Amino acid sequence: MGRKILFLGPPGAGKGTQAAMLARAIGVPHISTGVMLREAVAAGTDLGRKADVIMAAGDLVPDDLVVAMVAERLSQEDAVCGYLLDGFPRNVVQAGALDAAIGKGALDVALLLEADEDALVERLLKRAEQEGRADDNEDTIRNRQSVYRRETEPLAAYYPEHDVDVVTVDGMGTIEEVFAGIARALAG
Ligand code: B4P
C-alpha cells in the first residue's frame, strides 16, 4: 500500500474524520489545509486575516496562498516517507502545483468518499451545534457544495489521466463502517 494518500469528497463526507484515523493507523502525518487555515485565522496571522472572510463564505482561499502553506509543510522531515492530504489539492491548479513541488510520485492513490448531499447538510448543521464553525450554516454549506462540484470534482477525472488511481468508498455508513471500507479499498 502506498503511503502518499489524498482524500477527496464533498464537504462533510468525513474526510477530516477518516484522514485522522487512517494517518494514526499507518503512521504518516495528517495534513489538512482546512485545519491549517483555521489555525491561521485563530492566530491572526497575515494568512489568517486574508482567509477569514473567504472561508466564512465557503469560497476557496487563493491558490498561491494555499500552495505556499502546503509546500512549506511538505518540506518538513516527517513528510519525507509519506503523508495523508485532506482538503488539498482542491482544484486542478493546486494539483499541478503539488506535482511541481514534489515531482512524479507525489501521490500513490486518491480515496474518494461519496455521500448524499442532503444528508451531508444535516451532518454539518449538527456539527455547527457542537463546534460553532463559522462556515457550517446552510447557505454557506450549499455554496461549499457547489464550489466542490465546480472546482474539486474534476480531480476524480484528472488523477487517472495522471497515473494516480482514484478509489471510491461509500461515505454513508457509521464512522467505523466507512473506515472499514477504506481499509478494504487500500488492501484491494
Ligand atoms: P475543510 O476543513 O477541508 O472542510 P470540509 O470540506 O467541510 O470537510 P471537513 O473535513 O471539515 O468535514 P468532514 O468531512 O470530516 O475546508 C474548510 C474551508 O477551508 C473551505 O471551505 C475553504 O474555504 C478552505 N480551504 C481548505 N482547503 C483549501 C484549499 N486546498 N484551497 C482553498 N481553500 C481551502 O466531517 C464533517 C462532519 O461530519 C464532522 O462533524 C464529523 O464528525 C461528521 N461525520 C464524519 N463522518 C461521519 C459519519 N460516517 N457519520 C456521521 N457523521 C460523520
Side-chain angles (χ1 to χ4, degrees), residues 9-18 32-35 37-38 54-56 58-63 66 86-90 94 123-124 126-127 130-131 133 135-136 144 171-176 178:
K15 300 181 300 290
T17 307
Q18 298 294 334
S32 161
T33 44
V35 169
L37 289 168
R38 280 188 289 281
I54 300 169
M55 292 173 75
D59 293 321
L60 293 187
V61 175
D63 292 331
V66 177
D86 163 13
F88 177 95
R90 226 176 180 91
Q94 294 183 10
R123 249 189 217 180
L124 292 172
K126 204 157 132 200
R127 179 170 70 185
Q130 291 156 357
E131 296 178 21
R133 242 174 78 170
D135 58 350
D136 282 344
R144 283 155 63 198
M172 288 309 295
T174 64
I175 288 172
E176 291 72 25
V178 176

Side-chain angles (χ1 to χ4, degrees), residues 110-186:
L111 292 170
L112 172 60
L113 282 182
E114 280 191 330
D116 172 74
E117 280 204 353
D118 289 331
L120 295 186
V121 174
E122 292 307 312
R123 249 189 217 180
L124 292 172
L125 289 176
K126 204 157 132 200
R127 179 170 70 185
E129 285 167 21
Q130 291 156 357
E131 296 178 21
R133 242 174 78 170
D135 58 350
D136 282 344
N137 59 76
E138 183 149 3
D139 284 350
T140 303
I141 293 166
R142 297 279 180 200
N143 185 43
R144 283 155 63 198
Q145 290 181 326
S146 95
V147 169
Y148 172 78
R149 279 195 297 272
R150 192 175 65 242
E151 299 272 340
T152 312
E153 214 167 51
L155 293 176
Y158 171 95
Y159 273 117
E161 288 165 6
H162 290 76
D163 299 325
V164 176
D165 285 338
V166 175
V167 184
T168 300
V169 176
D170 181 3
M172 288 309 295
T174 64
I175 288 172
E176 291 72 25
E177 286 165 350
V178 176
F179 190 69
I182 289 170
R184 275 195 302 277
L186 291 174

